[in-house]
Amino acid sequence: MDVFGDFTGRVVAAVEALTDEGFLPAGLDTSRVVVEPPRDASHGDLATNAAMVLAKPAGMKPRDIAEKLADRLTAFEDVVSVDVAGPGFVNLSLSDGYWQAQLDALVRAGGDFGRSQVGAGEKVNVEFVSANPTGPMHVGHCRGAVFGDALAGLLQFAGFDVTREYYINDAGSQVDTLARSAFLRYREALGEDIGEVPEGLYPGDYLVPVGKALADQFGSSLKDKPETEWLPVVRDITIDAMMAMIRADLEALGIQHEVFFSERSLMADNGSAVAATIEDLRQRGLIYEGRLPPPKGQLPEDWEDREQTLFRATEFGDDVDRPLIKSDGSYTYFASDIAYHRDKYERGFRSMIDVLGADHGGYVKRMQAAVKAVSGGEASLDVKLCQLVKLFRGGQPVKMSKRSGDFVTLREVVDEVGRDVVRFIMLTRKNDAPLDFDFEKVTEQSKDNPVFYVQYAHARAHSVFRNASEIYSDLAFPIASPGADGLSALADPAELALIKTLAAFPRVVETAALVHEPHRIAFYLHELASAFHGLWNRGKDLPQLRFINAEDRASTLARLTLVQAVAMVLSSGLGILGVEPLEEMR
């Protein structure tokens, strides 16, 4: 059961009762009424803003409404006290029995506890990674990959119908450069001394196997052909090889996309998909021929003061209208991006999320404008920008990778510290905050290492089960809850505080899903682990609070139920993040 949903329903019912009595006017909108934890735990277990948000539309003082609501809410048997604070906040304290019943419901729900239907099956497209297929993924891609996959997992847990999508940027000049770089390695594989890789080509050793594969397949037959003949062949083979490498890198992180969408497909038949998109917008009066004012400050080298085909992006919240066709007649990247998001809309997605690097900040408004335009306002786009990751080893910056030529690869990081460590640490900061990743700190076994601290809590819970089995050999885990009455032994403030933290999980899931912030799950798991470790340590000083008491089976069952609940929620939360919940740590 969702505690906050339960009491929101009770508060709304109280408002409706006061309306029926004539105290409140009819037709009040209760959609902004919320029940949440009070900022100060000393104020109680729950707080509601109902009186505050209803006062103005009701034409009444919030405190007058709050006092009437307090009278109504006091009547519930599981409400110990109701206080009106400040101008009209209503704080509630609940009985121990209520929290014990919540623990019983949690254990009975098992792995489904915290799952939500707030998504109501809505289709959501989460596009993430979408790295240019020009080499192995680097640590910058890693953060966006983990964030996107965790966000998709979170949305699925909250009841959304999620599609993970990768946009392959395989139509730009960078893939021609990639093909030329691979052709150089092809010549090298044939025995030619290529010397230093020329500036402008990709220098990494990762293209050496591609060059060898080309030599094995074609021998020397490509060597004397003109570029117009060998480049398309080499380009296709090299892109396929790079995408296989990228898929393997993603697999190392436990990530699989349902859709890989090729940019080149938009350019097929002379860019018919892009042309159709522009024509559709033109028919709706959103395309015109005009001139753009020069950008402020120093003019870019490629600035052209000319009449061009423009999209009316400013009508949808952008800062300036955007060009769609270059001076050479080819389409701009933005034109392709509009066509791509139009394709998403036509595939039935009304909710789209793009996960991008921090250097794409200028992309946000224009693409949100484009999605509004192509969907007639039916679809929305949320762009999540992931800040840089800085790598350290013992506080010192990590040097670049020889394999890549100029960056540290994702695979090198995963191979050294493990998938679970990488995934969890990448979610210990909000996506738009910089993140430092120190190889030594993320693998140390201490409470200062968040992934160890959370994993250890789950492993510690399972160690309790193993120890309990040695004393009570008839116990089989998972155990059945003894019921709310059988949990009455859980009355210590630390035990009740742990139950309250567990009960907050459904609210954390829904909130995190609705604001697209999976790091909230990582933060919550750390808070839960801290409460559990604290209770463990409290048992060292107070034997009556130890989880296992050979002389008192009833209290042992109650505390084992609490430990089991901790393990269940930690497992569910780690599952959302794509991290394996360990049962033993060595």
Side-chain angles (χ1 to χ4, degrees):
M1 181 184 291
D2 177 1
V3 173
F4 303 95
D6 174 21
F7 271 87
T8 297
R10 298 193 197 191
V11 171
V12 170
V15 170
E16 292 172 350
L18 292 174
T19 300
D20 292 342
E21 293 175 1
F23 178 77
L24 292 174
L28 290 176
D29 178 12
T30 58
S31 62
R32 292 194 299 133
V33 170
V34 297
V35 174
E36 56 191 357
R39 292 183 180 179
D40 186 340
S42 66
H43 293 167
D45 296 321
L46 306 173
T48 179
N49 66 346
M52 306 292 290
V53 300
L54 297 177
K56 187 174 181 179
M60 301 172 65
K61 294 179 180 179
R63 194 168 181 92
D64 292 342
I65 299 175
E67 288 174 351
K68 282 287 188 178
L69 283 175
D71 291 341
R72 285 276 172 181
L73 296 171
T74 302
F76 288 107
E77 184 179 349
D78 44 23
V79 175
V80 174
S81 65
V82 183
D83 298 311
V84 177
F89 288 103
V90 180
N91 297 324
L92 298 89
S93 295
L94 309 181
S95 68
D96 293 355
Y98 179 82
W99 294 112
Q100 292 153 2
Q102 292 303 304
L103 177 60
D104 175 59
L106 186 165
V107 173
R108 292 179 188 279
D112 288 332
F113 178 72
R115 288 190 182 274
S116 170
Q117 291 306 312
V118 69
E122 178 185 356
K123 290 183 64 175
V124 180
N125 182 287
V126 183
E127 180 209 327
F128 61 106
V129 185
S130 299
N132 291 340
T134 54
M137 294 177 62
H138 56 67
V139 71
H141 298 134
C142 180
R143 188 174 188 185
V146 171
F147 174 85
D149 194 52
L151 175 56
L154 169 62
L155 291 171
Q156 287 175 317
F157 200 80
F160 292 87
D161 179 7
V162 181
T163 295
R164 293 168 170 84
E165 185 151 323
Y166 186 118
Y167 183 57
I168 307 173
N169 298 106
D170 54 1
S173 60
Q174 78 279 355
V175 291
D176 288 344
T177 301
L178 174 70
R180 295 186 181 100
S181 305
F183 191 74
L184 187 69
R185 296 298 188 178
Y186 160 71
R187 287 163 44 199
E188 181 182 45
L190 293 175
E192 183 178 335
D193 182 3
I194 62 172
E196 289 289 325
V197 175
E199 187 175 349
L201 297 184
Y202 296 106
D205 292 343
Y206 58 86
L207 287 174
V208 171
V210 181
K212 186 178 185 304
L214 288 167
D216 290 343
Q217 182 174 351
F218 295 101
S220 60
S221 64
L222 296 177
K223 188 175 180 181
D224 298 322
K225 290 181 182 290
E227 182 179 284
T228 53
E229 291 186 25
W230 63 253
L231 190 141
V233 175
V234 173
R235 181 178 58 207
D236 288 351
I237 291 173
T238 308
I239 289 174
D240 287 345
M242 294 302 98
M243 287 307 302
M245 181 187 301
I246 288 171
R247 282 186 172 94
D249 288 345
L250 291 170
E251 182 64 32
L253 270 176
I255 296 173
Q256 292 184 334
H257 290 80
E258 287 85 23
V259 175
F260 285 84
F261 190 101
S262 168
E263 182 184 2
R264 277 194 290 172
S265 68
L266 298 171
M267 299 302 172
D269 301 323
N270 296 318
S272 61
V274 182
T277 300
I278 293 175
E279 181 57 28
D280 176 56
L281 294 173
R282 191 185 300 276
Q283 292 295 321
R284 288 189 268 161
L286 299 176
I287 303 292
Y288 70 101
E289 305 299 317
R291 293 177 181 269
L292 289 174
K296 296 178 181 179
Q298 185 175 355
L299 293 179
E301 291 183 5
D302 60 353
W303 165 252
E304 294 179 288
D305 183 13
R306 64 181 179 87
E307 188 169 276
Q308 51 189 319
T309 302
L310 301 171
F311 163 58
R312 297 185 187 277
T314 51
E315 291 192 11
F316 301 92
D318 199 2
D319 299 324
V320 64
D321 290 343
R322 302 289 177 178
L324 301 179
I325 299 177
K326 301 176 185 177
S327 58
D328 64 2
S330 63
Y331 296 116
T332 63
Y333 285 118
F334 180 54
S336 299
D337 286 339
I338 299 177
Y340 171 48
H341 285 79
R342 178 175 181 249
D343 183 271
K344 290 183 184 180
Y345 172 69
E346 291 177 341
R347 282 185 275 146
F349 295 106
R350 300 298 179 264
S351 180
M352 308 175 198
I353 302 169
D354 289 357
V355 180
L356 302 172
D359 57 338
H360 287 73
Y363 173 96
V364 178
K365 284 186 177 180
R366 73 186 68 176
M367 278 317 306
Q368 289 177 334
V371 169
K372 288 178 185 176
V374 298
S375 69
E378 290 186 1
S380 64
L381 170 67
D382 185 15
V383 181
K384 311 300 288 189
L385 300 178
C386 290
Q387 272 290 349
L388 298 175
V389 177
K390 295 181 180 179
L391 294 180
F392 297 89
R393 191 181 301 281
Q396 297 300 313
V398 172
K399 294 181 179 180
M400 298 303 174
S401 164
K402 291 181 180 179
R403 178 169 180 258
S404 66
D406 60 356
F407 55 79
V408 178
T409 66
L410 176 153
R411 195 58 173 268
E412 288 168 322
V413 177
V414 174
D415 287 348
E416 178 166 343
V417 303
R419 182 184 79 183
D420 291 340
V421 169
V422 172
R423 290 190 66 116
F424 196 95
I425 294 298
M426 290 293 166
L427 295 165
T428 54
R429 294 287 184 276
K430 189 178 178 183
N431 59 283
D432 58 3
L435 187 146
D436 291 346
F437 187 102
D438 192 306
F439 284 93
E440 293 185 9
K441 289 184 178 179
V442 302
T443 53
E444 70 180 17
Q445 296 191 351
S446 77
K447 65 179 182 180
D448 296 326
N449 178 5
V451 61
F452 171 79
Y453 196 60
V454 173
Q455 288 278 38
Y456 185 47
H458 188 267
R460 175 171 265 180
H462 279 269
S463 75
V464 173
F465 301 155
R466 290 190 294 271
N467 292 336
S469 295
E470 293 178 3
I471 296 174
Y472 296 105
S473 58
D474 61 318
L475 287 181
F477 293 92
I479 61 174
S481 170
D485 290 342
L487 298 172
S488 60
L490 302 174
D492 184 83
E495 292 172 327
L496 292 169
L498 181 55
I499 296 173
K500 293 171 187 180
T501 301
L502 289 164
F505 184 54
R507 178 176 179 271
V508 172
V509 167
E510 284 198 3
T511 302
L514 292 174
V515 297
H516 301 164
E517 293 183 351
H519 74 276
R520 293 182 182 228
I521 303 297
F523 286 12
Y524 167 80
L525 294 178
H526 192 273
E527 179 186 354
L528 176 59
S530 179
F532 179 59
H533 290 311
L535 183 57
W536 173 287
N537 292 328
R538 188 168 168 79
K540 292 180 180 179
D541 300 325
L542 301 172
Q544 69 272 23
L545 294 182
R546 291 175 185 170
F547 298 132
I548 303 170
N549 184 342
E551 306 302 322
D552 189 343
R553 183 183 177 96
S555 69
T556 296
L557 282 176
R559 293 194 169 96
L560 289 178
T561 302
L562 177 57
V563 174
Q564 185 165 285
V566 171
M568 285 178 173
V569 174
L570 286 173
S571 179
S572 291
L574 289 170
I576 290 172
L577 304 184
V579 177
E580 182 183 0
L582 300 180
E583 295 187 7
E584 285 188 87
M585 298 186 74
R586 302 183 187 279

